[in-house]
Amino acid sequence: MAVDWSLKELYESFDCESFKNDLDKYDAHIQTIKAWTKTALINHEEEKEKLETIIKDFLTLGEFEEKLMAFTSLILSVESKNEQGIKYQAILENKSSDLAGTMANIYQWISEIKELDIVVASSELLTAHSFFIHEIVEEAAHQLGEKEEEIIARMATTGSSAWANYKNLLISMHKVEIEEDGEKKEYPLTVALNMAYSSDKEVRKRAYHAEIESYKKIEDGVAAALNGIKGEAITVCELRGYQSPLEMTLEQSRMDQETLDAMLTAMKESMPKLRSYLRRKAELLGYNNGLPFYELYAPVSEKDMAYTYEQGQAFVEENFTNFSENLGKYARNAFDKSWLDVYPKEGKRSGAFCSNLHSIKESRFLLNFGNSFSDVITMAHELGHGFHGHCLNDETALNTMYPMPLAETASTFCETIVKKAAIKQADKEEAFSILDTELSDATQVIVDIYSRYLFESTLFEKRKVSPLTVEEIKNAMLDAQREAYGDGLDPEFLHPYMWTWKPHYYFTTRHFYNFPYAFGLLFAKGLYAQYLANPETFPSDYEKLLALTGKMKIADVTKAAQIDVHDVDFWRASIQTIEEDVEAFIQLSYEI
C-alpha cells in the first residue's frame, strides 16, 4: 500500500518535457496577455468581446499556473531542501509578479464599464462568470496603478514570499532533542509534536519541554520572518485604502463584520463551559491548577484508541459511505490512487493540508499520521476539503475560488460524520475517549482559535509601531492564551512559541486564517443538524450547496441552507451542541 503521494499526474519531474513545455507556454501566455492589454484596453469599444477574451485568458493562464505551482509546492512540502523546487518556486513567483501591473490595468478597465450588467447579460460566458466579474469591480476599488502593482508584486518575491520560504525551511529542518533512557535523541519537529498524543505522561511532558527549549535555536529567524510578512501586509493594506488587515481579510473572505461579531459573541459566551471541560480533564489526569498545555491531547482513558493507517482508511471510508455513496467512493478513490502522503519524515512540513487540483480534477493530501484516533479525524478533515473540490469539478476554475470560512465547512462536516459514528459504535469507556477527542478538537477550534485571533490582532497593532522582539511576540501569545483559556489551563505551563510552527501566520496574501476554522465548525454543526432531520435528501442538497461556494457571498450561500449567519442565536445553537457534549463528558467521567 502506497504511503507516499503520486505527483506524476501533474509532472514526472522538473526535468520532464511536459513541465518545461508548460513553463514555456505559461510564460508565453503572460507575454501575450501583457501585449494584448496594452493595445486592446486603451478604449471601451467592443466591451463584450474584450471581456470574453479576458475571461478565456484567465482560464488558460490559471490552468498552467495551478499545475506548475502546485507541483512545485507539493514537492517542497515533503522535500524542503529540494534544490530544483526552490529554484522553480522563485521562477514561478517572478513570472506571476510580472503580470501584476497588467492585472491592475485589466481590473481597472473592467471597473470602468458603465453598463456592466447589460454587457454581462449579453454573453453566456460572461453570465456564467457574473459573480467573478462583479467581485473584480469591488476589488478594483483597492487597486493601485499598473506600475505600483507591479512594484509591490516584484518586491514581495524578495520580501514576504522570501521570508515565508525561509521560515518554512527553518521549521521543516528543525530538530528537537529529547532525552530517552539517559540518551539524547534528535527527532524532526513533526515527530516531536505527535508525542503530545502519547499514552505515556512522561513522554508528553518531556516532548513539550524539549520542544519549547528547541525553539531558542530558531526563534530569532522565525521572528524576523513574522515581522517581515506582517510589516509588508500593513504597508500594502494602507496603500490600498483598507483600515486594517482584518478589513481586507473580511472582504477577501466575502464575509461581513456583522457575521464575525455575531460568531465571536457566541464563542466568548461559551468559554466558561469549555474551560469546565479542561478543568475536569485536568482533575482526571491528576492536576489541581488547570490543565498543562502539554496535556491538551492526552488520552483520558486507558482504552486503546490507536489506529493504524489501514484501520483509519477503512473506518473513514465506511462512515463516509454511510453518509453517501459519493463521499465513500471519493475516499476510496483517493486511497487507491495514492493521493496521500502519510507519515512524518525529515524535510517534510508539519501539520496537514489538502491541495485541490482543478486542472486534473484530483486532490493531494499531506498528513503526518501518528496512529491515533486524532490522526484519523485529521484524515477525514482533509478528505472533506478534497470532496469540496470534487463537488466543484463541473464549475470553471474561476467559479471554484471559495473563501476561507467556507473552506473549513466541508472538512469539519466530514470530521463530524466520523466522530459521531465512532461514538455510536463504542462502549462506554470508548465513547468517553472519543468524546474527549471531540471536545479537545472543539476546544482548539473555539478557544485556541480565539486566542490566535487575539494574538494576530495584537501582533498587527504592535507591528504598526515597530518590529516586535522575540520576547514581545512570546508575551503576546501568552496573553492571548491566558485570556482565551482562563482557568482551564495551568498558567505555569502555557505555550509561548505557538507562533513558530503554525503556518497560518506566515501566509503572505491571507491573514487572520483563524476565525474561518470557527466558522467552519459552527456552520458544519448547523448543517449536521439538518442532515439528522433529513438523512435521505440532505446529501444531495449538501453537494449542491458546496457547488455554490465559489460564486456567492457567504451570507448568500448560507441562506441557501436556510441559515442566517447575522443572527447570534444561530451561532449559540451550534455551540450548544458542543456544550451538551461537555455535560456528557463530565457525567461519564464519574461513571467509568
Side-chain angles (χ1 to χ4, degrees), residues 81-219:
K81 297 183 80 171
N82 185 293
E83 292 181 359
Q84 285 183 297
I86 293 169
K87 180 184 79 171
Y88 281 112
Q89 184 178 62
I91 289 171
L92 289 166
E93 286 176 352
N94 284 329
K95 288 185 184 298
S96 178
S97 67
D98 189 38
L99 197 55
T102 300
M103 294 295 285
N105 196 2
I106 291 172
Y107 279 31
Q108 184 62 34
W109 183 86
I110 293 173
S111 71
E112 291 170 353
I113 298 175
K114 292 181 180 178
E115 296 182 322
L116 183 61
D117 289 338
I118 295 174
V119 173
V120 169
S122 68
S123 163
E124 186 176 338
L125 176 68
L126 300 180
T127 299
H129 295 92
S130 177
F131 180 80
F132 175 79
I133 292 167
H134 282 88
E135 198 165 41
I136 283 176
V137 175
E138 292 180 10
E139 190 174 332
H142 294 286
Q143 287 281 337
L144 303 175
E146 180 177 355
K147 193 65 178 175
E148 289 86 349
E149 290 293 341
E150 187 173 338
I151 290 170
I152 287 173
R154 286 184 178 276
M155 292 296 287
T157 64
T158 52
S160 59
S161 293
W163 279 120
N165 294 337
Y166 173 62
K167 174 264 172 189
N168 289 338
L169 182 63
L170 285 177
I171 290 297
S172 63
M173 300 305 298
H174 185 54
K175 298 288 185 64
V176 179
E177 192 177 73
I178 301 176
E179 186 171 320
E180 295 179 353
D181 300 322
E183 181 183 349
K184 289 188 176 181
K185 296 181 181 179
E186 280 193 338
Y187 292 95
L189 178 60
T190 50
V191 174
L193 291 173
N194 276 345
M195 292 180 184
Y197 299 92
S198 171
S199 59
D200 187 328
K201 179 186 290 191
E202 286 306 309
V203 169
R204 298 191 300 267
K205 187 175 181 178
R206 281 200 307 269
Y208 162 81
H209 285 293
E211 179 203 344
I212 297 293
E213 182 65 24
S214 75
Y215 290 124
K216 292 178 182 178
K217 295 180 289 185
I218 60 170
E219 62 181 6

Side-chain angles (χ1 to χ4, degrees), residues 413-482:
F413 189 88
C414 282
E415 278 191 37
T416 305
I417 290 171
V418 172
K419 288 173 183 173
K420 296 297 184 187
I423 289 174
K424 281 183 181 178
Q425 298 177 20
D427 60 32
K428 186 175 283 191
E429 192 172 351
E430 287 173 334
F432 180 62
S433 180
I434 295 166
L435 201 56
D436 177 52
T437 299
E438 166 84 351
L439 288 171
S440 176
D441 291 345
T443 301
Q444 284 295 293
V445 175
I446 302 297
V447 184
D448 199 67
I449 285 297
Y450 183 58
S451 77
R452 296 185 215 175
Y453 173 79
L454 293 173
F455 168 74
E456 196 157 0
S457 298
T458 299
L459 186 63
F460 272 121
E461 281 302 312
K462 289 183 178 294
R463 185 63 184 84
K464 278 188 203 174
V465 180
S466 67
L468 285 77
T469 65
V470 169
E471 286 304 309
E472 286 175 319
I473 298 172
K474 288 164 61 179
N475 287 334
M477 178 59 76
L478 291 172
D479 288 344
Q481 288 173 359
R482 291 185 191 103

Side-chain angles (χ1 to χ4, degrees), residues 309 312-313 315-320 327 330-331 334-335 340 352-354 365-367 369 372-388 407-422 441 542:
Y309 176 53
Q313 278 187 330
F315 192 72
V316 166
E317 183 185 354
E318 175 189 356
N319 290 294
F320 277 14
L327 184 58
Y330 178 81
F335 299 144
L340 295 88
F353 69 72
C354 163
F365 307 93
L366 181 139
L367 306 178
F369 201 86
S372 72
F373 182 65
S374 178
D375 292 309
V376 178
I377 297 304
T378 297
M379 178 163 60
H381 178 102
E382 300 306 335
L383 287 167
H385 281 304
F387 187 69
H388 192 167
E408 296 303 332
T409 296
S411 53
T412 310
F413 189 88
C414 282
E415 278 191 37
T416 305
I417 290 171
V418 172
K419 288 173 183 173
K420 296 297 184 187
D441 291 345
Y542 174 66

Side-chain angles (χ1 to χ4, degrees), residues 353-411:
F353 69 72
C354 163
S355 177
N356 285 329
L357 308 170
H358 188 268
S359 56
I360 59 172
K361 299 191 185 304
E362 296 182 2
S363 299
R364 292 296 181 271
F365 307 93
L366 181 139
L367 306 178
N368 278 285
F369 201 86
N371 295 331
S372 72
F373 182 65
S374 178
D375 292 309
V376 178
I377 297 304
T378 297
M379 178 163 60
H381 178 102
E382 300 306 335
L383 287 167
H385 281 304
F387 187 69
H388 192 167
H390 174 75
C391 290
L392 288 160
N393 276 344
D394 291 335
E395 299 287 340
T396 72
L398 298 179
N399 284 336
T400 63
M401 296 182 286
Y402 47 79
M404 292 189 295
L406 292 177
E408 296 303 332
T409 296
S411 53

